[in-house]
Amino acid sequence: MERLRDLAVRLAMDEPVGDDLAMAAAHALTRGVDSPSLRELAGLSKGQSREAVDLFRQAMEELGSPVPDESGARLHLMRAAAASIIDGEGDPEDLAHEIYWQSAYFPSEELREVGYRFLHLYADCGAAPDQTEEAVAAMKEAARSFLHDHAA
């Protein structure tokens, strides 16, 4: 289901996903994820991208996880980056910058402030080598706070 959610986020961000949808549907079916539209989607060929997108949207509705709007997709990406910081997966500087970058598109002052906080922490990472551990620890705390305040 995680692969399907990732594709839903990419679709919401206007990234081309049509050719990936049928294969993702087939893989989901083999893992026990099922819906009528997902079965139909799995049977499409690569040349049916427009129909695949429509079926994918319908399947995600049927599965109770509709394709988000752009703001929902950006919030999802911010949460994923924050979770990766906490889990120690990936470069914390890159992940902090990702949170900042996604937050810049929100009209909400609250989410832009979250982004500015991570931008500040991002800058602290490059300040001095002896402060890097402290900066990463501060990023992890900020990520925990963000996820607590903006739970899915």
Side-chain angles (χ1 to χ4, degrees), residues 26-92:
H27 284 251
L29 287 168
T30 64
R31 290 185 186 91
V33 178
D34 193 10
S35 83
S37 297
L38 194 64
R39 280 182 253 133
E40 190 175 344
L41 176 58
L44 294 182
S45 63
K46 280 194 175 205
Q48 298 175 292
S49 292
R50 181 69 240 157
E51 187 177 347
V53 168
D54 293 340
L55 279 170
F56 179 73
R57 286 182 181 279
Q58 188 173 341
M60 293 305 286
E61 286 283 339
E62 292 167 358
L63 295 169
S65 187
V67 174
D69 62 10
E70 183 181 348
S71 292
R74 289 188 186 282
L75 188 56
H76 172 84
L77 293 171
M78 290 171 69
R79 283 189 200 114
S84 292
I85 289 171
I86 292 167
D87 295 340
E89 298 172 355
D91 183 309

